[in-house]
């Protein structure tokens, strides 16, 4: 199924969501954009005009998402694509987070995906077809310290998606439910996420431009992909978790925090987007690490990647150890120094 029609992007005014909106419109889709920030929604509407419909919506509220989906379909036509990529995170030790903060991240990042999937299915099942793409992360397989709520949410998205996919297959449905597992990207989340680390957060290298993620989402839409790995770090993390989980636990304890911290001081007191959108920041796919971001990267079919690993596991494990050891050793040395 690749017939441009109506798509919805939940979390579509910044980062991966904004890049995905632009990519879908370039493909000929009309796009409903859901997000909390009214000012950024207005910017998207001004840029794309009649090709978009913008709706203020907290994706953590199931009723609001359902109403938004119905409104988009009434105004733009039958929804054939729904992309869930709204997210929140906090760079913080778990014990420093209030329960409400943890809950808010999970509500947006995980339950937002649940609510979007529910709304999409309720509309798509009337016609018996459609593409739902849930944006995940390599952190669904290998968590990092200081992002416990976000990592938990991405793990939950993976389990939820796989469960519902089996239900759809059991029903003989033509609706596909896929995941796109992303690497570190240069998006605005690092400029407005809550941060309790000593320095400003950064995407852990290697860093990619958000357009790579958007290309992967469109590939999942065109091909009905089950799961895609994006960038070289995601398959490395997945394989590492399969064969060397204890070693990775220790390496993340030693250097995982440093990989997420830039050399920029964190003055503290800046606004963050946990409780409400940060005002005064434009709708943009990109963050402040564009000078280090790579334009291109791998987009791998995850099932084919696993088969390749199974057939060449000993060699792959050795290569993985060398790659991860090189990537993690330098931050660890800096910290001990």
């Amino acid at each position: 199924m690749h017939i441009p029609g109506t798509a919805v992007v939940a979390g579509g005014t910044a980062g991966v969501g904004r890049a995905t909106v632009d990519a879908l419109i370039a493909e000929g889709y009309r796009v409903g954009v859901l997000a909390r920030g009214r000012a950024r929604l207005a910017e998207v509407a001004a840029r794309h005009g009649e090709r978009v419909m913008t709706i203020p919506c907290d994706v953590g509220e199931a009723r609001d998402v359902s109403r938004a989906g119905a409104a988009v379909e009434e105004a733009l036509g039958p929804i054939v694509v729904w992309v869930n990529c709204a997210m929140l995170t906090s760079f913080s030790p778990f014990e420093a987070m209030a329960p409400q903060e943890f809950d808010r991240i999970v509500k947006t990042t995980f339950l937002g995906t649940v609510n979007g999937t529910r709304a999409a299915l309720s509309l798509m099942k009337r016609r018996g077809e459609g593409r739902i793409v849930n944006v995940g992360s390599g952190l669904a397989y290998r968590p990092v310290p200081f992002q416990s709520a976000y990592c938990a949410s991405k793990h939950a998205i993976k389990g939820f998606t796989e469960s519902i996919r089996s239900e759809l297959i059991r029903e003989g449905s033509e609706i596909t439910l896929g995941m796109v597992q992303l690497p570190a990207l240069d998006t605005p989340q690092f400029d407005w996420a809550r941060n309790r680390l000593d320095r400003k957060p950064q995407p852990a290298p290697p860093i990619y431009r958000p357009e790579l993620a958007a290309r992967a989402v469109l590939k999942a839409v065109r091909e009905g992909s089950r799961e895609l790995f994006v960038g070289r770090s995601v398959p490395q993390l997945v394989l590492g978790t399969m064969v060397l989980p204890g070693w990775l636990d220790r390496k993340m304890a030693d250097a995982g925090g440093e990989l997420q911290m830039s050399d920029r001081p964190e003055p503290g007191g800046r606004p963050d987007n946990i409780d409400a959108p940060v005002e005064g920041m434009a709708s943009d796919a990109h963050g402040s690490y564009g000078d280090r971001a790579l334009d291109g990267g791998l987009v791998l079919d995850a099932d084919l990647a696993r088969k390749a690993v199974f057939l060449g596991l000993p060699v792959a494990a050795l290569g993985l150890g060398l790659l991860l050891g090189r990537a993690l050793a330098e931050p660890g040395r800096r910290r001990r120094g």
Side-chain angles (χ1 to χ4, degrees):
M1 185 198 75
H2 179 47
I3 303 172
T6 299
V8 170
V9 179
T13 60
V16 172
R18 175 57 194 272
T20 300
V21 169
D22 293 346
L24 285 166
I25 288 174
E27 287 282 303
Y29 288 89
R30 301 174 298 275
V31 183
V33 182
L34 315 184
R36 292 182 300 170
R38 293 177 182 269
R40 283 188 284 275
L41 285 168
E43 289 182 47
V44 174
R47 174 179 175 82
H48 291 298
E50 295 181 354
R51 301 299 303 278
V52 301
M53 178 181 183
T54 59
I55 301 179
C57 179
D58 183 341
V59 298
E61 300 296 333
R63 184 176 299 179
D64 292 352
V65 177
S66 179
R67 289 173 175 169
V72 169
E73 184 151 293
E74 181 177 356
L76 301 182
I79 294 170
V80 297
V81 173
W82 189 297
V83 181
N84 291 304
C85 60
M87 56 79 64
L88 294 174
T89 194
S90 172
F91 294 87
S92 174
F94 169 66
E95 293 183 7
M97 300 172 67
Q100 303 94 300
E101 181 178 331
F102 195 101
D103 292 351
R104 181 61 195 167
I105 294 168
V106 172
K107 186 175 182 181
T108 294
T109 310
F110 171 49
L111 292 182
T113 295
V114 172
N115 295 335
T117 301
R118 181 188 294 111
L121 287 174
S122 71
L123 297 168
M124 291 176 178
K125 281 192 172 183
R126 301 172 187 175
R127 296 174 295 276
E129 63 177 356
R131 302 280 202 235
I132 303 171
V133 180
N134 292 336
V135 173
S137 169
L139 303 187
Y141 288 90
R142 166 43 55 180
V144 293
F146 307 130
Q147 287 198 78
S148 55
Y150 179 78
C151 291
S153 298
K154 292 301 183 180
H155 273 253
I157 288 169
K158 180 177 179 293
F160 165 76
T161 301
E162 291 173 348
S163 176
I164 304 306
R165 183 192 296 118
S166 293
E167 294 181 18
L168 292 172
I169 294 171
R170 180 184 176 91
E171 295 169 5
S173 176
E174 295 297 319
I175 299 169
T176 65
L177 182 54
M179 287 182 290
V180 176
Q181 310 291 16
L182 300 183
L185 300 163
D186 173 43
T187 68
Q189 69 162 303
F190 301 95
D191 299 311
W192 59 36
R194 185 166 294 178
N195 181 38
R196 294 186 178 90
L197 304 181
D198 294 336
R199 301 189 296 277
K200 286 187 176 181
Q202 68 169 7
I207 305 167
Y208 297 89
R209 292 172 63 84
E211 285 79 7
L212 175 63
R215 290 197 293 273
V217 170
L218 260 64
K219 178 179 174 66
V221 168
R222 294 189 190 104
E223 301 177 6
S225 307
R226 178 185 178 276
E227 185 178 23
L228 298 175
F229 293 157
V230 183
R232 72 173 185 267
S233 55
V234 172
Q236 288 171 5
L237 290 173
V238 173
L239 177 59
T241 300
M242 289 171 58
V243 298
L244 297 169
W247 180 80
L248 274 175
D249 286 344
R250 294 188 292 274
K251 282 297 181 181
M252 287 297 171
D254 181 55
E258 281 68 23
L259 285 170
Q260 299 177 80
M261 287 189 280
S262 71
D263 56 2
R264 307 173 187 179
E266 175 58 84
R270 61 178 173 81
D272 63 61
N273 68 341
I274 292 293
D275 299 315
V278 175
E279 300 297 334
M281 295 189 70
S283 172
D284 199 340
H286 306 98
S288 56
Y289 294 93
D291 58 324
R292 297 163 54 192
L294 302 172
D295 288 323
L298 298 171
V299 178
L300 301 175
D301 181 288
D303 293 337
L304 291 178
R306 290 186 180 94
K307 290 175 184 176
V309 167
F310 179 76
L311 294 173
L313 186 59
V315 174
L318 176 61
L320 172 78
L322 294 173
L323 286 168
L324 287 178
R326 185 181 303 168
L328 294 170
E330 182 61 27
R333 285 198 294 269
R334 283 201 300 269
R335 187 182 70 170
R336 288 190 294 270

